[in-house]
Amino acid sequence: MSSKQKLSLSRVGLSVMLALSTTTTLLPIHAKAQDSAPAPQTETEELERISVSGRLMSSAAAAAAERREQPYVAELLGMEQISRAGDSNAATALRRVTGLTLVKDKFIYVRGLGERYSSTLLNGALVPSPDPTRNVIPLDMFPAGIIESLVVQKAYSPELPAAFGGGNVNIRTAAIPLQTTFNLAIGTGYNSLNSADGFSYNGGDDDWHGKDDGTRAISSELAAAQNQFGVLTPINIAEALGGINATNLAQAQTIVRELGTAFNRDIDISRTSVKPDFDGSVSFGSRFDLAKNVVFGVMTGFSYDRATQNIEEQERYYSISGEALTPLNRYDDIRGTEHQIKLSGMLNFGLEFGVDHRIETSTIYLRDTKDEIKIKNGDSIETINETNRFNTDTSLTYEERTMLSNQLRGRHNLPSLWDLAIDWQYTDAKARRYAPGQVEYRYLNETQADGSVFSFLRRNQNAVTYSFGDMQDNTQNLSWNAHLPMTLGKAELTFSTGYNYFERNRDAQTDRFNFDTVGFSLQQLAGSFAEIFSDSHILDAGNGFKISNVTTQADDYLAAQMIDAGYAALELNYDYLFRLNLGVRYEDFKQVSLPLAADGQISGNVTDSVLVEDGFYPALSLTWFVNDDLQARFGYSKTVVRPDLREVTPVLYVDPLTDFKVTGFSGLTSTDINSADVRFEWYYDNSNYSIGLFYKDLDNPIEAIELSGSDGNLLMSFRNAESGKLYGVEAEFLQQLDMFNGSIGQIADNFFLAGNLTLSESEITIQRFPGANLTNLERGLSGHSKYVANLQLGFDSDNDKHNATLTYNVFGKRIAFAGVNGKDDAFEQPFNSLDVTYSYAPNSNISVKLGLKNLLDEDVEILQQGEILQKRTEGQSYSLSFSYKY
């Protein structure tokens, strides 16, 4: 890496924390707050269940029973539900929760709100996201095999971080088992798009372990040149060599020419047959008696998933004339292949001292590697009106996303101190996004008089772009909670208090290099990539080849967050008539994000990049136990959602979900949210029903907008709207079909029906901004769907050997981004998902599972005024797996 990339995380912490401490006194303190370190699991969250039935209906009912006991509105998915529904990871499982939708199989939208309004905890702790474009963790990184349960809390409670919008997801990993367990599973899969050959390149899909072998990394020669000269231009190098004169300029030109041979240029694309997907996992757990009332436990697991999927897409971008859209970019033929490796490992240890003391350690490692080849045939703004010319744009995108979390936690009950209960945790986590050797280039295709097509690499100073990116986050999270119960007559009270400290340091660096081909002949540029940039062509001085690392916008930044938080709460249960929970959280939040110039120095004014806030965040929940089967809930809370580090840093990046170019905006402020919920829940036997109303008032909501004048390329950024609100109704049911008589009843007894529906409306008022001539100043929230529906039909045979589930999910259209210059807003269209899973278990140890997904063969579409802006073919997926449990 270059000298500017040598900044260590210790320097990051010192520099950023110094900036925070020196600017705090210069800035006003606002009563707001954000993603703090979360509290560890409370007792109610750590309930252990022993299910006497493996039936899906039973596991669903057990999850509903735990949800019933939660003091705040929450949904829960148990391990058995996740397994029986065929969900491979946390993201696909959460799609079945009331009011939740899944975006790109990674991020959840709660009650139709974008992923910025959701937050994620791992065993009650906040951990960093390895995706720098999002504050939340991509949930597809958590394989189902390490998950014990998923808790989605939709109403805020004070032990949670105040950064709470639509909901909070707590991923609870498998705990120390009650007995020795061993699980082994292997599976394979196939997507209908893979019937055609895929794309590959040298060093591509052979990386079976998901780790680059060094061929993509920045070379030692290139790093040394940056360390010595900084900006790699002949003028700058000549000055570093002793001054600008003919001799030094000639030597500098030789240097920038010869450095071209330090890049990996053996990257020509080839076609190859697509291998079937493969996944496997193994886990083991046991407990050992060390002494009287002293038990040691261990739980470990490993999973591996290799998948390949071909890509079929369309992309367009428009200007407007009158009411009609005119395409500026039109790529209707986009093909490619994505190779993905997911790897995870877990190692947990635990010590139990009687029933009152428990200490656990948890280590979790996740790796998600994507290697994507994409070839786009179509027109840019330069060729859109030329019938005899079109472009072929090629991009190679490789990234490794990793997260390592080490957690130590304990729980203690102290009968001698009035049954005081204390739990605590310390979590040290690291996340990294490593993206070496990403390449982009364009060929021009000209139709000749005889009908043949002449293709050549464009002659340009920026004909090829290589980029090398590396982002690292380090976080530390310490928290404790104390709960003191007491009884006053018919009232049972529990006083709770706790403290959280969270610290995050980020170092983000990107080096970009351009290849200059202005001096090449068209005949030379008509060859393959490796032929054009052979050593002989690069070193031939007559071709005038040179590299440059000059960029128009800073790509590097340093950032940090510090959060101090404490809370106090009271729970009152009165004679089984009602339960009252109230509390307040205080958070002191500091954040700074410092863009760096090309020379590694801080760009701009430090105080412009600092966000300092503190405030109180109250929460109230009242549950009325109408009778043994019916209960009613009411809740109110005040929370906040803050801008992500990347959103407030004026650095250009590409959103991996949309492929849109995005730039941050340092003037963003936090969004204050006031929320209210009313909910009725009816439980009887193994069935349950619920219906609820919710309302959210948002002050200064953050919206994604399109910037004007982007000259044929879509450029996105973020701005605060003035105000917004969200309100709606959600309903849920779980019903065993045992109400029929006769032979029909005997068959129906084996079926159950579960479903949920959320209907909601949203409104925002937004002002006009310089550089963004918004079309609609009053509209819905970005990412909000007016309806979300899930339906599940399940079958359990009497002997438990056969289980089947048919699931359906759909969401209403939602704004992908707001329109400008008279164009209407762009809407992602509804996606109807129909999936089937079937499981056969000849005995209690062995099972075989078949999964069919997207049976309706739906495509993902974003439309603007009825015209396709983006279209992605998903294809149908088929999977088969075998598992053995002991």
Side-chain angles (χ1 to χ4, degrees), residues 226-424:
Q226 286 202 103
N227 286 333
Q228 182 178 359
F229 304 116
V231 178
L232 300 178
T233 63
I235 297 295
N236 193 67
I237 294 176
E239 288 181 343
L241 292 175
I244 300 177
N245 55 52
T247 301
N248 288 342
L249 278 174
Q251 184 179 351
Q253 289 168 349
T254 300
I255 290 173
V256 296
R257 181 170 58 248
E258 293 179 344
L259 282 174
T261 62
F263 290 82
N264 175 30
R265 293 148 287 138
D266 186 15
I267 55 174
D268 287 329
I269 310 299
S270 59
R271 300 302 296 265
T272 182
S273 60
V274 178
K275 303 174 185 177
D277 298 342
F278 171 80
D279 62 90
S281 64
V282 60
S283 64
F284 170 79
S286 190
R287 53 197 294 125
F288 309 92
D289 293 324
L290 301 183
K292 183 177 180 181
N293 294 328
V294 179
V295 176
F296 172 76
V298 61
M299 185 74 191
T300 186
F302 173 84
S303 71
Y304 176 84
D305 187 341
R306 185 203 67 214
T308 301
Q309 182 168 339
N310 281 339
I311 298 169
E312 293 182 10
E313 296 178 347
Q314 287 179 259
E315 288 180 8
R316 296 178 183 176
Y317 179 65
Y318 301 91
S319 64
I320 189 168
S321 177
E323 296 183 356
L325 295 181
T326 302
L328 296 177
N329 282 352
R330 182 173 54 207
Y331 288 89
D332 289 340
D333 179 18
I334 302 177
R335 306 281 174 170
T337 303
E338 180 181 286
H339 306 277
Q340 190 168 29
I341 300 292
K342 294 182 181 179
L343 183 149
S344 69
M346 176 184 69
L347 180 61
N348 294 350
F349 295 108
L351 273 176
E352 296 178 355
F353 301 90
V355 297
D356 292 323
H357 301 279
R358 181 172 181 169
I359 297 176
E360 290 181 292
T361 68
S362 177
T363 298
I364 296 175
Y365 177 77
L366 306 173
R367 180 190 296 166
D368 184 354
T369 300
K370 181 184 77 171
D371 191 4
E372 179 189 90
I373 304 108
K374 186 177 288 188
I375 301 174
K376 302 164 54 175
N377 290 298
D379 293 299
S380 64
I381 193 171
E382 294 89 359
T383 63
I384 193 70
N385 295 317
E386 298 187 24
T387 57
N388 66 329
R389 299 180 70 203
F390 69 95
N391 303 321
T392 299
D393 295 349
T394 301
S395 63
L396 306 180
T397 304
Y398 177 90
E399 64 175 5
E400 299 171 13
R401 298 181 298 162
T402 58
M403 190 195 74
L404 174 63
S405 170
N406 292 296
Q407 186 177 72
L408 176 65
R409 60 183 184 266
R411 189 179 61 188
H412 311 278
N413 297 316
L414 306 174
S416 60
L417 293 177
W418 308 284
D419 288 325
L420 177 68
I422 298 174
D423 60 78
W424 54 271

Side-chain angles (χ1 to χ4, degrees), residues 799-802 838-848 882-883:
N799 59 11
D800 280 344
K801 290 186 176 182
H802 303 274
Y838 166 74
S839 177
Y840 170 63
N843 56 51
S844 60
N845 302 112
I846 296 174
S847 67
V848 179
F882 166 84
S883 64

Side-chain angles (χ1 to χ4, degrees), residues 101-109 115 657 814 828:
T101 54
L102 185 62
V103 179
K104 201 73 178 283
D105 293 331
K106 297 176 183 291
F107 305 106
I108 62 165
Y109 283 15
E115 89 278 344
L657 296 186
R814 55 197 181 204
E828 182 178 354

Side-chain angles (χ1 to χ4, degrees), residues 130-144:
D131 186 339
T133 66
R134 297 293 189 279
N135 190 43
V136 294
I137 302 172
L139 293 172
D140 63 326
M141 292 188 67
F142 292 90

